[in-house]
Amino acid sequence: METNIAEIARIARVSTATVSRVINSPEKVAQETRGKVEKIIKQLNYVPNQQARSLRSRRTRMIAIIVPHSADYLFSYPYFSILVKEVSLELSRFDYHLILTTDEPQEAVTERYRVFIDKKMVDGFVVLDLKNDDERVHFLRERGLPFVTVGRNDRDTDISFVDTDNDLGAYLAGKHLSEKSCKRILFINGLADQSVSVWRERGLVRASRDFGFDYEVFNGDFIEESGAAITRSNLGKFDAIFAASDLMAIGALKVLKEEGVSLPVIGFDDIPLSSEFSPSVTTVHQPIDEVGREAARILVRQISQGQVTKTILPVSLVIRESSEVSA
Amino acid sequence: METNIAEIARIARVSTATVSRVINSPEKVAQETRGKVEKIIKQLNYVPNQQARSLRSRRTRMIAIIVPHSADYLFSYPYFSILVKEVSLELSRFDYHLILTTDEPQEAVTERYRVFIDKKMVDGFVVLDLKNDDERVHFLRERGLPFVTVGRNDRDTDISFVDTDNDLGAYLAGKHLSEKSCKRILFINGLADQSVSVWRERGLVRASRDFGFDYEVFNGDFIEESGAAITRSNLGKFDAIFAASDLMAIGALKVLKEEGVSLPVIGFDDIPLSSEFSPSVTTVHQPIDEVGREAARILVRQISQGQVTKTILPVSLVIRESSEVSA
DNA sequence: TTGTAGGCGTTATCAA
DNA sequence: TTGATAACGCCTACAA
C-alpha cells in the first residue's frame, strides 16, 4: 500500500488536514503535533503526490521552454545549453521543474503554448529568442499566464524580463575599434526581427557618433557560416569587423585567414571556444549563467507574488588577440 | 467557469462517463452520441485537465532526463543538445513531455531520480552517459520504473537501450589508419568508467589484431582540452591518432599544427564542426538524431507495453582531410 | 451502448 | 489549533 496523507494521519492520530498543514504551512500547527507528524512522515518516507497537489491547488510547479523550430540553430549553440542548464537548476531550487520542447515546423508559433496552457500543465514560460513584435508575448498576455522573456523590446515594456546590456556592449566594441583607428566597420548583426539585434545596432550607432566612424550592417543568423559568407562578400570594403556572436566572428576570422587579410575582429557572447580559438577572440562578455538563474528567479517571483521584475545584467569587453592587429 | 467534462456532458445530455469514453476509447461509443459529443468539445474548445487525468490514471506522460553534474561537459557538447532536442520532439509525438534537469554536486547520483519517482511526477527516464556499473540503473530497476539507456554495458543486458555500433566504429578507424601504414596509434579514449569507452577499445583491439598495429590508450573526457593535453605529452611517440570524440580530435589537430607535426587523425561523432574545421576531420559518424528519436520510441513502448527493446544503430567512417596526410 | 457513483490524494473552507 | 468534509476533474467498475 502506497502511503498517503490519510495513513500518516491515522498513525499520528490527527486529521488529514493537520498533516497537510504540517507540510504546507507548518507555522500554523502546534509544536508538539507538528513534531509528531514530521517524525512519522520521515519514518514512512512519505512524499506528497504531486499530481494530487496540482489538481487541488492549481499549481503544477512546472515551467516550459519552447524552442521555435526557426531557432533550431540554438541547439548547436553553446550559449543556449548553458542557459537551459542554469534555468533548470535554479528552478529546481524553488521546487519547480523545466519542460524543454520544440515546436514542429508546420505549427503556429503559439500552438505549443496553447496546448500546455489548456491542459493545465505549466505555471509559466521562459520565452527565448525574443522578437521585436513577438506573437508569443501577445498570446501569453492574453491568456494571462506568467512568463519571463530573455531579452526586451520596445513594444512590451510592462513585462518581466532579464536582458544584458547589449546596447553598451556594442558601444564598447565600437569604441575599442575606433581606438584602433578603424573608420569603416563591417557590422555583422543577428536577425533583424530579433530584439537583441536592435539594441546592438543602437549601441553601435551611438559609438559611431561619439567616435566618428562609419559602419554598414548585414544580418547573419548567429552561426559561423553566415559570418563567413558576409565577410567573404565584403572583403576589401572595411577595416574592421564587429559580429553579433562569437561564432560569426570566428567565421569571419577564418575567411580573413584564408584570404591572408588581417583586420581587427570583435565578437559577442564570450562562449568557451572564443578564448581557445586562434586567434583568441576579443568579445563582449555576457554572464549567460546568471541570465539563466535570474530568469528562473524572476519567473518564480512573478508566479508566487504577481510581481513584475526587469533585470539588465552588465556586459564587459574582453580584449584578446583578434582585435590586436593593424587594420 | 472553466469547461470540464461535466459541462460537456450537461450540454450534450449524456453522462460524464460517455464524454470520457469519447475522449479515451471512442470506439466504445455509438456513432451518433460520439459525433454529438465531439462537436460540443470542439465548440467549447475543451481540453482535458492533465493533472486530473494523471491523478486518476496514474500516468503523468512526463519523462525525465537528469544530467549528472559530473557530465557537465555535455552542456557545451553539440552532440548532447541535438540528442535532447530529438528526444523531446519525438516524445511529443506520442503526447509525452520531457523534463530536463541537472543534479547538484553534493547530491547522491540517484537522488533526483528518487524525488521524481516519489512525487509520482514521471513515467520514465532516459539515462545518458551510461557507466559500466551504473548506480542509476540499479536504482531504477529496484524501483521498477521504465527507463531506456543511451549506450549499453556488459552487466545490464536485459534492459531497453539504444546504442550505436561503437565497436565497429573503432574497428573501421583502426583499419583506415592501418591502410595508411600507421603502426603505432595513440588512442585518446573517453572516460574509463563509461561503457562507450569499453566498446570503442574493443573495436580497436580487434582491428589491431586483424591489421597488425600497436596502440596505447589514454583517457580523456571528450572535450578539446583533454585531446590537446594528451597529444602534447605524447608527441613523437606515435604515427597516428584516434580520438573518441571530434572535440578531442580537434584538440589533437591544433597541437599538431602548433608543433608543425603532420599525422593522420580520426575522431568520433561527426559533429557539425568536424566538416568545417581545417583540416576537416575524418570521423566515425553516429546518427545522433536517430539515437534520440529511437530512445523516445523505445521508452514509450516500454511504458505502454512493458516491452524491452534493444537497438544498435549503424555507424560509418567519414573520410576527410585529417587522415589524408603521410605519417 | 449508456449511466451511476466511487475514488485517485490532496488542499481549502468552515466550524468547533 | 484542530477536524470534518467538500471539492479539484477525471476515469472506470458495475449496473442498467
Side-chain angles (χ1 to χ4, degrees), chain B residues 4-5 20 24 46 49 53 56:
Chain B
N4 56 23
I5 219 176
S20 179
N24 298 295
Y46 166 74
N49 178 310
R53 299 183 101 171
R56 179 61 232 229

Side-chain angles (χ1 to χ4, degrees), chain B residues 1 23 26 31 36 42 50 68 72-73 106 142 166 169 174 181 195 231 234 241 244 258 290 298 300 302 308:
Chain B
M1 171 190 174
I23 293 165
Q31 271 303 328
K36 185 172 59 178
K42 186 158 275 175
Q50 182 57 43
D72 233 28
Y73 67 88
Q106 69 279 13
E142 195 181 312
N166 286 292
S181 311
S195 58
T231 302
N234 285 285
I241 298 178
E258 246 173 68
E290 183 59 19
I298 289 177
V300 168
Q302 170 99 28
V308 171

Side-chain angles (χ1 to χ4, degrees), chain B residues 42-312:
Chain B
K42 186 158 275 175
Q43 276 177 1
L44 301 197
N45 282 319
Y46 166 74
V47 178
N49 178 310
Q50 182 57 43
Q51 308 307 324
R53 299 183 101 171
S54 297
L55 176 59
R56 179 61 232 229
S57 66
R58 293 155 174 297
R59 282 282 159 88
T60 65
R61 306 201 79 85
M62 306 276 337
I63 301 300
I65 289 184
I66 302 170
V67 183
H69 63 277
S70 62
D72 233 28
Y73 67 88
L74 285 176
F75 284 102
S76 46
Y77 205 58
Y79 205 73
F80 169 71
S81 309
I82 295 170
L83 181 82
V84 167
K85 173 192 161 192
E86 294 297 330
V87 169
S88 161
L89 196 51
E90 188 72 13
L91 280 177
S92 75
R93 294 181 180 131
F94 294 97
D95 198 25
Y96 278 84
H97 295 282
L98 182 67
I99 299 180
L100 182 68
T101 190
T102 314
D103 60 7
E104 300 262 14
Q106 69 279 13
E107 290 176 351
V109 184
T110 53
E111 177 59 13
R112 299 262 156 152
Y113 289 83
R114 191 187 63 67
V115 171
F116 278 134
I117 296 172
D118 286 350
K119 284 185 171 173
K120 310 272 181 329
M121 283 186 58
V122 301
D123 293 343
F125 296 89
V126 177
V127 177
L128 300 181
D129 202 54
L130 189 70
K131 305 287 189 296
N132 294 317
D133 181 6
D134 202 299
E135 272 191 71
R136 298 167 298 173
V137 170
H138 302 330
F139 184 76
L140 289 173
R141 264 221 171 102
E142 195 181 312
R143 294 301 228 95
L145 248 90
F147 64 100
V148 57
T149 63
V150 175
R152 67 192 193 283
N153 62 27
D154 295 326
R155 287 179 70 104
D156 307 297
T157 54
D158 55 345
I159 62 180
S160 287
F161 66 77
V162 52
D163 202 359
T164 54
D165 198 341
N166 286 292
D167 180 314
L168 177 64
Y171 183 86
L172 293 176
K175 177 163 184 266
H176 182 65
L177 290 175
S178 95
E179 284 162 3
K180 300 281 166 191
S181 311
C182 301
K183 292 292 171 203
R184 290 162 301 132
I185 298 177
L186 168 58
F187 178 30
I188 307 178
N189 203 353
L191 299 166
D193 65 343
Q194 293 197 239
S195 58
V196 66
S197 302
V198 172
W199 292 105
R200 289 175 187 176
E201 181 156 2
R202 283 181 189 158
L204 200 62
V205 169
R206 283 203 298 126
S208 85
R209 289 201 192 119
D210 288 4
F211 306 109
F213 58 79
D214 287 334
Y215 75 89
E216 194 170 339
V217 196
F218 291 82
N219 293 101
D221 62 358
F222 297 108
I223 67 173
E224 202 179 307
E225 290 72 31
S226 67
I230 291 169
T231 302
R232 188 168 286 115
S233 55
N234 285 285
L235 283 169
K237 301 193 202 153
F238 299 92
D239 60 9
I241 298 178
F242 172 42
S245 80
D246 286 344
L247 289 183
M248 293 195 295
I250 285 169
L253 285 165
K254 285 186 182 174
V255 169
L256 293 181
K257 185 183 285 180
E258 246 173 68
E259 303 291 332
V261 181
S262 167
L263 292 182
V265 173
I266 299 184
F268 216 110
D269 292 342
D270 198 15
I271 61 177
L273 178 59
S274 295
S275 54
E276 298 159 33
F277 193 77
S278 171
S280 58
V281 185
T282 294
T283 188
V284 180
H285 174 84
Q286 303 197 82
I288 185 59
D289 41 6
E290 183 59 19
V291 169
R293 290 190 294 267
E294 181 65 11
R297 283 181 226 119
I298 289 177
L299 186 52
V300 168
R301 211 175 301 142
Q302 170 99 28
I303 291 170
S304 56
Q305 305 162 35
Q307 186 181 328
V308 171
T309 311
K310 308 174 187 189
T311 304
I312 297 174

